[in-house]
Amino acid sequence: MTEAAAPVGELTALGTPPRPFRFGAAGEGNKQEGGARKFVQTAQEAEEMGYDTFFVPDHLGDQIGPLAALGALTQATSKIRLGTSVLANGLRHPVVVAKELATLDVLSKGRLEVGVGAGWIKEEFDNAGIPFERPGIRLEKLDESLTILDTLLRGQECNFEGKHYQVRGIKGTPRPRQGPRPPLCTGGGGPKMLALAAKHADIVSVVPQTTKNGKGLLSGITLEKTIEKVNIVKAAAGDRFADIELNWAITAIVITDDREKTAEMALRAIERGLHPDLEVDVELTVEEILSSPYIAIGTFEEIAEQVKRVRQLTSMSYVGIFPTQMDAFAPVIPLLRED
């Protein structure tokens, strides 16, 4: 771990101070969360708990439509920022989505964060009859879409001749409230996706790599692998790295007085295949589980210290929390606000 951490430690030597923490909650409005009627209440609770942002994902399954839902939140909330995490680029044309996003930024009085990704659940595309191109094509299309969105969300006229999109004389209206535009967010786990994010995004999400079937690789949750991904972003971003905010999502939170015993139980569960969304490609130690940015185990104070250490070693500072974990993590927020 020490050898892997050294390259990221250079960030401090280069004069990049740690960013203040920000915290993002999320909601899908699915049946497990109480449906669409509970969705607005969930966002209001996140605002009261001190979360900085409330995100809505974009899938064709059991969830509400993200853009319409955010429109409701522009009026039902007053302070919390609102974001998409993330829109699947293959489901929408960037010119059309730019109009919707600009409108959301105006209605929210400048609280929008724009998350856009390449789309990754093949089954959803297949079931909808929408082509799910090979990864290289999806990345090309996302590259072009982010370029178009960057122009239109500045309220400028877009003339773009790309391989996949051609835009001629469309002006971005309405003009968003934020200047020069609402922040763009994208990210991933592979080097090509991370390099693309470093090229375009104000916020880069660092996520574990997945298999072709959408399962997360167990090896991808370690601190060492996370540091490698941050260094990819740093190399690709060059001089603008200091302007990029790095985000990650904690996928599991367990409040306990015995971190080691709980980590041992988690490892045994993984070995028995009780986590079907994970592909076990390595054997991890208790120490690796406890140091993983994506798993938070311990008392509120211990989790706060763990999150601080992640920021110290990776420069990641924007913490995402899954919908079902919002209440569990809330007491940690004030402990990190003091930092």
Side-chain angles (χ1 to χ4, degrees), residues 17-81:
R19 284 177 175 265
F21 285 113
R22 288 209 296 152
F23 306 97
E28 298 184 8
N30 57 30
K31 293 178 181 177
Q32 183 181 4
E33 297 172 16
R37 287 182 294 181
K38 180 72 184 304
F39 172 79
V40 170
Q41 181 182 340
T42 301
Q44 292 170 332
E45 290 172 352
E47 187 172 58
E48 293 172 0
M49 290 177 184
Y51 285 93
D52 297 282
T53 314
F54 191 81
F55 292 104
V56 185
D58 183 23
H59 297 294
L60 298 180
D62 178 24
Q63 74 152 82
I64 54 179
L67 298 178
L70 288 174
L73 295 187
T74 65
Q75 306 305 300
T77 62
S78 60
K79 297 182 296 183
I80 196 167
R81 293 181 65 78

Side-chain angles (χ1 to χ4, degrees), residues 235-281:
D239 292 341
R240 68 181 298 266
F241 180 74
D243 298 324
I244 292 176
E245 185 176 30
L246 295 176
N247 160 259
W248 85 103
I250 299 176
T251 58
I253 299 169
V254 182
I255 308 303
T256 176
D257 292 326
D258 194 334
R259 298 183 76 221
E260 287 74 17
K261 183 177 180 181
T262 303
E264 291 171 357
M265 292 172 60
L267 283 175
R268 289 196 294 269
I270 291 170
E271 292 170 358
R272 294 198 300 269
L274 298 182
H275 294 277
D277 295 331
L278 272 178
E279 179 163 314
V280 181
D281 59 331

Side-chain angles (χ1 to χ4, degrees), residues 26-326:
E28 298 184 8
N30 57 30
K31 293 178 181 177
Q32 183 181 4
E33 297 172 16
R37 287 182 294 181
K38 180 72 184 304
F39 172 79
V40 170
Q41 181 182 340
T42 301
Q44 292 170 332
E45 290 172 352
E47 187 172 58
E48 293 172 0
M49 290 177 184
Y51 285 93
D52 297 282
T53 314
F54 191 81
F55 292 104
V56 185
D58 183 23
H59 297 294
L60 298 180
D62 178 24
Q63 74 152 82
I64 54 179
L67 298 178
L70 288 174
L73 295 187
T74 65
Q75 306 305 300
T77 62
S78 60
K79 297 182 296 183
I80 196 167
R81 293 181 65 78
L82 306 171
T84 54
S85 181
V86 293
L87 294 179
N89 182 63
L91 300 181
R92 300 174 183 82
H93 194 285
V95 170
V96 177
V97 79
K99 172 76 74 174
E100 300 295 329
L101 293 171
T103 301
L104 288 171
D105 195 59
V106 171
L107 293 177
S108 67
K109 300 180 180 179
R111 291 186 282 142
L112 182 68
E113 296 183 7
V114 178
V116 186
W120 60 280
I121 301 182
K122 183 178 185 298
E123 183 181 8
E124 291 189 351
F125 282 75
D126 291 344
N127 291 345
I130 299 172
F132 187 75
E133 291 100 346
R134 59 183 175 83
I137 297 297
R138 283 184 282 130
L139 287 183
E140 288 177 357
K141 295 179 77 170
L142 179 60
D143 189 4
E144 293 187 9
S145 285
L146 290 169
T147 302
I148 293 167
L149 287 171
D150 178 67
T151 299
L152 293 176
L153 290 176
R154 294 174 187 267
Q156 299 174 352
E157 181 177 298
C158 183
N159 289 281
F160 181 84
E161 292 293 329
K163 180 179 178 181
H164 304 283
Y165 301 106
Q166 296 78 43
V167 183
R168 303 179 179 97
I170 295 288
K171 186 174 182 180
T173 59
R175 177 71 171 83
R177 287 283 296 269
Q178 296 180 83
R181 56 156 172 71
L184 293 176
C185 173
T186 192
K192 292 181 179 179
M193 188 65 224
L194 289 169
L196 177 62
K199 173 184 175 182
H200 289 282
D202 306 288
I203 304 164
V204 174
S205 292
V206 181
V207 303
Q209 282 186 279
T210 59
T211 67
K212 292 181 179 180
N213 297 324
K215 287 188 175 183
L217 289 174
L218 183 61
S219 61
I221 73 170
T222 66
L223 179 62
E224 181 179 4
K225 286 293 184 182
T226 306
I227 290 171
E228 290 178 8
K229 293 182 178 70
V230 171
N231 279 326
I232 291 171
V233 176
K234 179 187 173 188
D239 292 341
R240 68 181 298 266
F241 180 74
D243 298 324
I244 292 176
E245 185 176 30
L246 295 176
N247 160 259
W248 85 103
I250 299 176
T251 58
I253 299 169
V254 182
I255 308 303
T256 176
D257 292 326
D258 194 334
R259 298 183 76 221
E260 287 74 17
K261 183 177 180 181
T262 303
E264 291 171 357
M265 292 172 60
L267 283 175
R268 289 196 294 269
I270 291 170
E271 292 170 358
R272 294 198 300 269
L274 298 182
H275 294 277
D277 295 331
L278 272 178
E279 179 163 314
V280 181
D281 59 331
V282 294
E283 291 185 9
L284 297 185
T285 65
V286 168
E287 181 183 354
E288 286 172 320
I289 287 289
L290 292 177
S291 65
S292 169
Y294 303 97
I295 300 174
I297 299 174
T299 64
F300 298 130
E301 292 77 13
E302 287 172 332
I303 290 174
E305 289 303 314
Q306 177 188 352
V307 172
K308 288 179 185 179
R309 183 169 183 269
V310 168
R311 184 180 64 173
Q312 177 187 2
L313 295 177
T314 68
S315 75
M316 299 191 303
S317 59
Y318 196 171
V319 187
I321 303 299
F322 275 47
T324 55
Q325 306 281 294
M326 191 175 78

